[in-house]
């Protein structure tokens, strides 16, 4: 058999069934996996002079042993190896705990190099590792993520072995032009420097080279997918009635903002084109995304096509149905609502009408595209708050055998680095302008001890017939505790405000019908205060609410706080958001301050990403962001931008391949594909 970089690790000597298993646990199956199992940091192994070392510093000392190693045992299992070395005329005692096997390497007169932790008072080195002295000019050592089953040194030795036997077979798949332009190390050199660093400059360059490749290949794939969608004839080409759309806009009680107009145009252009639309609309809370959706629904309807409008919760679906009915009051568009709480009889009727084409738009949760729901002519799917839907839903659509245009809407501004990574194959429209006349929401941060003063403020708002939201603390680990919390908080508010104030309670564990009942009573101002968990977070629209109170606000992400705050300020009255928090660390204080200082969702989302990191902000698996080996979306965002520009440039130069053959594309742009690529 010919040797390839895809050979299983078992070809290496010293790798039996057990070790294969241990390596597999680290995600290492092939030689390629092993060679690209990169270290996450490096240990500095430069030899230091005694007087330069600080207490507790980890250092390498070099000297001549002036005694043999002596092992003494204490307790049943513990032992200590001790010897002394002369480092440039300073005598240092070295001790190794529980490594008696090192004894045979230590004899008086022998030159030694020891890595360990310095104890400045006792002039003693607590040895961690014995290094080889001769012919080793390495001054830093790679440190790997590993498990209990396989030691650092074993891993490094296997990598050495693999490198020795396979480095000739490592192929650089990156086009030469790119290697030159970005001064990248060729793949083989990259791998070598990552594992066996010669100096800091090379290590840095190797890291850059790895990260660039990771981003580049990923962006290339996204670009490719986008091109496929754009050019395919799979989507539908809507021949909609422009006059009807214009008429629709004149029936609205307001004029669209310039941003809304721009986005409507972008959407309409997609609807008209034969390729499948894949567009994400980002617009801050209250920027008016619903009317853009309505325009798309109407456009589809004028060509006899249906729309499915999905929302993440029933509350939200219900609200969308109501807004659409209101907007379409003077237009002939039939909108139906289908949720888990729709009665069987009504549901059967809706499903029948849908199949006959008598319903133009069906609003509901994502069940709309899953369970035996049959359409007459579905050609548009709109999802609100799409980050709650995953890649799987997109797949479900395709598997249903339909290729509708897809419009995603989100009020969670997504930082650019995430947006071009997670949604790189989509087009993005941004509504970056608020409708005129909106009052800013004043945000204040208070400590819990000021609760009573807050209550008098609440009473003032209530006296103006305004309504109030109260959000209970988020306890991620436990839904039961969430429930206890919100129930207790409800009681607290009810007793603080008195019996004449109606305080409602809303949480995720309530049966849908009950939730709906609470929401509709709040909507009608029959409930004055609503104590809720974050189920209220997305989209809910009760313009008469002017005060949002968030308990333990430091437990929420910035983006989430912003979302919650967006529930108020939806009417013409001045609105407030009160964050109650006693943050422990500096970071918590900083977070509270940022939220009080800006109402720009994009600024907040960038900060959120910076402070929390990408993994926390978005569930990776959910979003479709790949887990890069060492690239970090936040720290390496500048490399991401460069790699993306190159990927797009190359993509634009290539032709479109009807047969969807990625290999041809790679050939055309000069990725050498005759051999097995690394890091594809
Ligand atoms: P979101 O983007 O948060 O979904 P909505 O679509 O719910 O925002 O719109 C929020 C409110 O703003 C709604 O009451 C809507 O009627 C109103 N609205 C939307 N566009 C405009 C506009 N151009 N001028 C004034 N009000 C608008
Ligand atoms: Mg909305």
């Amino acid at each position: 058999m010919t040797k390839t970089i895809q050979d299983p690790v078992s070809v290496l000597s010293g790798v039996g069934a057990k070790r294969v298993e241990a390596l597999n646990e680290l995600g290492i199956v092939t030689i390629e996996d092993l060679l690209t199992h990169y270290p996450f940091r490096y240990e500095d192994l430069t030899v230091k002079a005694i007087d330069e070392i600080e207490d507790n510093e980890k250092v390498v000392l070099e000297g001549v042993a002036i005694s043999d190693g002596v092992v003494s045992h204490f307790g049943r299992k513990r032992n200590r190896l001790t010897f002394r070395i002369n480092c440039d005329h300073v005598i240092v005692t070295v001790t190794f705990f529980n490594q008696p096997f090192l004894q045979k390497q230590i004899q008086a007169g022998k030159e030694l190099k020891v890595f360990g932790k310095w104890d400045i008072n006792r002039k003693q080195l607590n040895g961690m590792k014995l290094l080889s002295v001769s012919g080793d000019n390495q001054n830093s050592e790679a440190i790997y993520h590993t498990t209990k089953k396989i030691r650092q040194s074993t891993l490094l030795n296997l990598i050495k072995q693999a490198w020795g036997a396979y480095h000739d077979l490592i192929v650089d798949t990156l086009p030469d032009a790119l290697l030159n332009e970005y001064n990248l190390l060729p793949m083989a050199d990259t791998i070598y420097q990552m594992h066996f660093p010669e100096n800091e400059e090379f290590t840095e360059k190797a890291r850059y080279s790895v990260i660039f490749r990771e981003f580049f290949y990923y962006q290339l794939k996204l670009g490719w997918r986008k091109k496929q969608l754009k050019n395919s004839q799979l989507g539908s080409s809507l021949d909609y009635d422009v006059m009807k759309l214009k008429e629709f806009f004149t029936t609205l009680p307001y004029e669209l903002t310039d941003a809304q107009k721009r986005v409507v145009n972008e959407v309409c252009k997609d609807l008209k084109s034969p390729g499948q639309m894949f567009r994400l609309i980002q617009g801050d809370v209250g920027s008016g995304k619903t009317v853009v959706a309505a325009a798309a629904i109407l456009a589809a309807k004028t060509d006899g096509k249906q729309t499915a409008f999905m929302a993440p919760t029933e509350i939200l679906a219900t609200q969308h149905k109501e807004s659409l009915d209101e907007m379409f009051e003077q237009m002939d568009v039939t909108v139906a609502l289908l949720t888990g709480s729709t009665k069987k009889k009504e549901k059967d009727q809706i499903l029948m009408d849908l199949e006959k084409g008598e319903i133009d738009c069906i609003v509901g949760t994502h069940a709309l595209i899953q369970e035996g729901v049959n359409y007459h002519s579905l050609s548009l799917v709109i999802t609100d708050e799409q980050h709650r839907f995953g890649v799987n839903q997109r797949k479900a659509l395709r598997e249903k055998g339909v290729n509708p245009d897809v419009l995603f809407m989100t009020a969670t501004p997504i930082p650019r680095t995430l947006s071009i990574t997670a949604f790189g194959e989509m087009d993005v429209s941004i509504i970056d302008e608020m409708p005129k006349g909106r009052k800013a929401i004043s945000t204040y941060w208070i400590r819990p001890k000021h609760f009573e003063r807050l209550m008098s403020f609440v009473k003032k708002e209530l006296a103006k017939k305004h309504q109030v939201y109260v959000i209970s603390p988020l306890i991620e680990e436990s839904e039961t505790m969430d429930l206890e919390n919100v129930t207790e908080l409800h009681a607290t508010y009810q007793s603080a405000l008195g019996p004449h104030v109606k305080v409602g309670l809303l949480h995720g564990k309530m049966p849908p019908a009950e939730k709906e009942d609470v929401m509709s009573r709040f909507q009608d101002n029959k409930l004055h205060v609503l104590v809720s968990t974050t189920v209220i977070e997305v989209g809910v629209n009760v313009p008469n609410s002017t005060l949002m109170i968030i308990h333990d606000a430091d437990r929420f992400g910035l983006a989430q706080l912003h979302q919650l705050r967006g529930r108020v300020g939806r009417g013409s009255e001045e609105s407030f958001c009160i964050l109650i928090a006693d943050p422990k660390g500096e970071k918590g204080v900083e977070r509270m301050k940022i939220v009080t200082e800006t109402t720009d969702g994009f600024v907040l989302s960038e900060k959120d990403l910076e402070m929390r990191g990408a993994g926390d902000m978005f569930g990776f698996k959910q979003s479709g962001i790949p887990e890069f080996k060492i690239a970090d979306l936040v720290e390496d965002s500048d490399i991401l931008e460069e790699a993306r520009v190159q990927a797009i440039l190359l993509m634009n130069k290539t032709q479109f391949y009807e047969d969807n053959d990625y290999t041809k594309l790679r050939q055309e742009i000069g990725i050498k594909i005759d051999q097995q690529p690394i890091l594809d």
Side-chain angles (χ1 to χ4, degrees):
M1 258 205 22
T2 43
K3 220 161 91 173
T4 89
I5 201 101
Q6 295 299 324
D7 287 347
V9 279
S10 55
V11 301
L12 298 174
S13 68
V15 182
K18 249 196 167 150
R19 203 152 264 175
V20 165
E21 203 187 301
L23 287 168
N24 287 357
E25 271 173 35
L26 286 167
I28 301 171
V29 179
T30 64
I31 298 292
E32 175 182 338
D33 297 336
L34 183 62
L35 288 173
T36 57
H37 186 78
Y38 298 122
F40 68 97
R41 68 180 181 90
Y42 297 91
E43 201 84 78
D44 185 1
L45 298 185
T46 27
V47 176
K48 284 210 170 170
I50 301 280
D51 53 10
E52 290 174 3
I53 313 172
E54 285 167 34
D55 193 27
N56 271 329
E57 193 180 337
K58 285 182 190 169
V59 287
V60 176
L61 292 183
E62 200 169 24
V64 178
I66 54 171
S67 71
D68 288 348
V70 176
V71 175
S72 51
H73 293 265
F74 53 100
R76 213 154 17 116
K77 282 187 176 157
R78 298 194 296 163
N79 58 70
R80 172 175 47 208
L81 165 67
T82 314
F83 56 94
R84 282 177 297 151
I85 54 175
N86 179 343
C87 299
D88 227 1
H89 308 296
V90 182
I91 309 297
V92 172
T93 305
V94 182
T95 55
F96 274 96
F97 284 94
N98 300 323
Q99 298 191 52
F101 46 85
L102 293 177
Q103 188 184 22
K104 57 182 182 294
Q105 296 181 52
I106 295 153
Q107 295 95 33
K110 194 174 167 185
E111 242 184 274
L112 294 172
K113 205 162 149 183
V114 190
F115 176 70
K117 208 183 207 177
W118 182 239
D119 181 336
I120 206 163
N121 296 321
R122 301 160 79 178
K123 279 220 168 17
Q124 182 172 309
L125 189 71
N126 294 312
M128 295 158 78
K129 207 180 295 179
L130 203 56
L131 306 168
S132 70
V133 182
S134 58
D136 196 348
N137 60 353
Q138 223 179 291
N139 52 21
S140 67
E141 186 186 57
I143 307 292
Y144 299 89
H145 284 298
T146 182
T147 58
K148 279 204 178 110
K149 291 187 192 156
I150 192 156
R151 274 195 286 165
Q152 288 285 342
S153 53
T154 313
L155 201 56
L156 188 61
N157 279 331
L158 291 176
I159 292 170
K160 267 186 192 148
Q161 200 191 135
W163 168 262
Y166 284 88
H167 69 266
D168 285 346
L169 297 174
I170 297 172
V171 173
D172 205 327
T173 54
L174 212 60
D176 289 335
L178 274 184
L179 277 178
N180 296 336
E181 183 168 347
Y182 286 92
N183 199 12
L184 303 175
L185 289 177
M187 196 63 213
D189 295 350
T190 302
I191 288 180
Y192 185 84
Q193 293 299 336
M194 287 300 288
H195 297 297
F196 319 115
E198 270 173 32
N199 60 43
E200 217 170 293
E201 189 195 331
F202 276 134
T203 318
E204 259 319 294
K205 213 165 158 181
R207 271 186 67 81
Y208 186 94
S209 301
V210 172
I211 295 168
F212 187 93
R213 282 179 170 86
E214 288 200 286
F215 283 145
F216 176 76
Y217 285 121
Y218 188 66
Q219 290 294 333
L220 196 64
K221 239 181 203 157
L222 290 177
W224 164 255
R225 268 190 238 153
K226 188 166 177 175
K227 196 159 176 159
Q228 288 302 316
L229 293 168
K230 274 270 159 62
N231 287 285
S232 74
Q233 304 296 309
L234 292 173
S236 53
S237 168
L238 276 189
D239 184 19
Y240 61 84
D241 184 344
V242 185
M243 294 316 288
K244 271 273 177 246
L245 274 183
K246 289 197 168 143
E247 185 191 329
F248 168 58
F249 295 130
T250 62
T251 67
L252 296 174
Y254 47 78
E255 200 194 334
L256 294 192
T257 61
D258 287 345
Q260 282 171 318
K261 284 180 194 163
R262 188 185 68 236
V263 175
V264 167
N265 278 327
E266 285 165 353
V267 171
C268 283
K269 210 170 138 200
D270 285 351
L271 291 175
K272 202 173 232 166
S273 85
Q276 199 180 351
M277 169 164 76
F278 236 30
R279 185 169 288 278
L280 172 68
I281 300 182
Q282 289 189 40
D284 217 331
V285 180
S287 62
K289 293 180 291 295
T290 321
V291 67
V292 176
I297 294 165
L298 177 64
K301 143 87 191 184
T302 64
D303 192 22
K305 299 295 197 310
Q306 292 173 307
T307 301
F309 191 164
M310 301 193 290
T313 65
E314 283 191 20
I315 296 176
L316 211 50
T318 310
Q319 209 146 69
H320 280 320
K321 151 83 168 144
E322 280 162 12
S323 324
L324 289 175
D325 279 345
E326 202 180 306
M327 284 186 212
F328 288 142
E329 205 169 357
Q330 300 171 54
M331 306 306 293
D332 174 29
V333 181
T334 314
V335 181
L337 176 68
L338 187 64
T339 70
S341 36
T342 309
K343 300 262 157 20
K344 168 107 176 51
K345 210 169 136 207
E346 197 189 342
K347 182 176 172 181
D348 290 345
Q349 184 66 47
I350 289 174
L351 288 180
M352 219 158 66
D353 290 349
L354 193 66
E355 199 159 358
K356 278 194 285 187
E358 281 164 15
I359 289 171
D360 301 312
C361 173
I362 186 155
V363 186
T365 51
H366 62 260
L368 285 187
I369 55 157
Q370 288 175 334
E371 298 153 19
V373 182
N374 298 313
Y375 293 84
H376 178 73
S377 55
L378 178 67
S379 79
L380 174 62
V381 172
I382 303 174
T383 74
D384 196 14
E385 291 310 327
Q386 64 75 44
H387 66 281
R388 308 207 152 197
F389 297 102
V391 187
N392 291 340
Q393 265 87 11
R394 294 183 224 165
K395 240 174 78 194
L397 269 175
R398 255 174 259 131
E399 279 163 8
K400 233 174 129 60
V402 287
N403 287 292
D405 286 326
V406 186
L407 193 60
F408 301 95
M409 303 199 297
T410 181
T412 312
I414 301 159
R416 189 181 147 76
T417 46
L418 285 190
S419 143
I420 61 181
T421 311
F423 315 118
E425 81 268 43
M426 295 185 200
D427 292 300
V428 178
S429 293
I430 296 180
I431 306 183
D432 50 5
E433 183 185 352
M434 284 292 181
K436 282 187 204 81
R438 286 279 154 80
K439 289 231 170 83
I441 304 163
S442 314
T443 305
Y444 301 97
W445 163 36
I446 65 168
R447 304 273 182 181
K449 63 180 179 212
H450 295 125
F451 187 73
E452 262 173 48
R453 260 158 71 191
L454 174 63
M455 285 310 103
S456 52
F457 183 62
V458 171
K459 283 176 190 160
K460 266 192 209 153
E461 280 304 298
L462 291 172
K464 292 185 206 157
K465 300 268 177 272
H466 295 163
Q467 286 163 277
V468 180
Y469 290 106
V470 178
I471 305 297
S472 72
L474 179 80
I475 298 162
E476 271 165 19
E477 313 84 56
S478 154
E479 277 185 39
T480 348
M481 270 167 81
D482 267 352
L483 190 60
E484 278 172 22
N485 257 305
V486 72
T487 313
E488 202 182 304
L489 201 62
H490 174 256
T492 308
Y493 273 80
Q494 187 65 78
S495 82
L497 297 171
H500 56 287
V501 175
K502 297 277 172 275
V503 182
L505 173 65
L506 189 74
H507 58 78
K509 282 280 166 72
M510 283 160 73
E514 207 175 310
K515 265 193 248 173
E516 210 125 312
D517 179 56
V518 170
M519 269 324 289
S520 83
R521 280 193 291 147
F522 188 65
Q523 198 103 44
D524 299 342
N525 203 358
K526 287 186 182 125
L527 291 173
H528 311 119
V529 176
L530 185 61
V531 179
S532 167
T533 55
T534 50
V535 290
I536 207 79
E537 181 187 346
V538 276
V540 170
N541 190 24
V542 181
N544 190 48
S545 305
T546 52
L547 175 56
M548 164 63 70
I549 301 168
I550 304 171
H551 284 261
D552 282 0
D554 52 329
R555 294 199 191 194
F556 296 87
L558 297 183
Q560 204 175 12
L561 289 174
H562 182 62
Q563 271 291 320
L564 290 167
R565 174 168 58 186
R567 297 311 105 215
V568 297
R570 301 174 82 85
S572 51
E573 301 296 316
E574 189 181 7
S575 292
F576 306 90
C577 174
I578 311 290
L579 311 169
I580 308 179
D582 227 345
K584 297 279 171 301
E586 230 170 86
K587 242 185 167 178
V589 171
E590 196 188 330
R591 284 152 46 85
M592 292 304 98
K593 282 193 177 150
I594 294 167
V595 183
T596 58
E597 279 161 13
T598 180
T599 51
D600 185 326
F602 280 93
V603 173
L604 283 170
S605 77
E606 294 287 350
K607 283 273 179 215
D608 211 11
L609 180 64
E610 242 172 67
M611 297 179 79
R612 288 203 293 161
D616 235 26
M617 200 160 154
F618 264 107
F620 270 111
K621 301 253 152 54
Q622 262 273 98
S623 65
I625 299 176
E627 288 178 47
F628 297 109
K629 280 177 191 279
I630 59 169
D632 181 291
L633 287 172
V634 181
E635 312 236 307
D636 307 316
S637 60
D638 47 340
I639 310 180
L640 172 63
E641 292 289 349
E642 282 171 3
R644 176 178 146 88
V645 166
Q646 289 305 322
I648 292 173
L649 272 179
L650 279 174
M651 194 57 63
N652 288 342
K653 277 193 219 152
T654 56
Q655 32 172 336
F656 170 66
Y657 299 101
E658 285 295 343
D659 55 1
N660 207 345
D661 191 344
Y662 193 50
T663 326
K664 284 187 193 156
L665 168 98
R666 299 205 331 202
Q667 221 154 14
E668 189 185 335
I669 65 181
I671 295 181
K672 300 151 209 160
I673 47 142
D674 46 325
Q675 292 173 68
Q676 191 62 46
I678 266 195
L679 269 187
D680 178 9

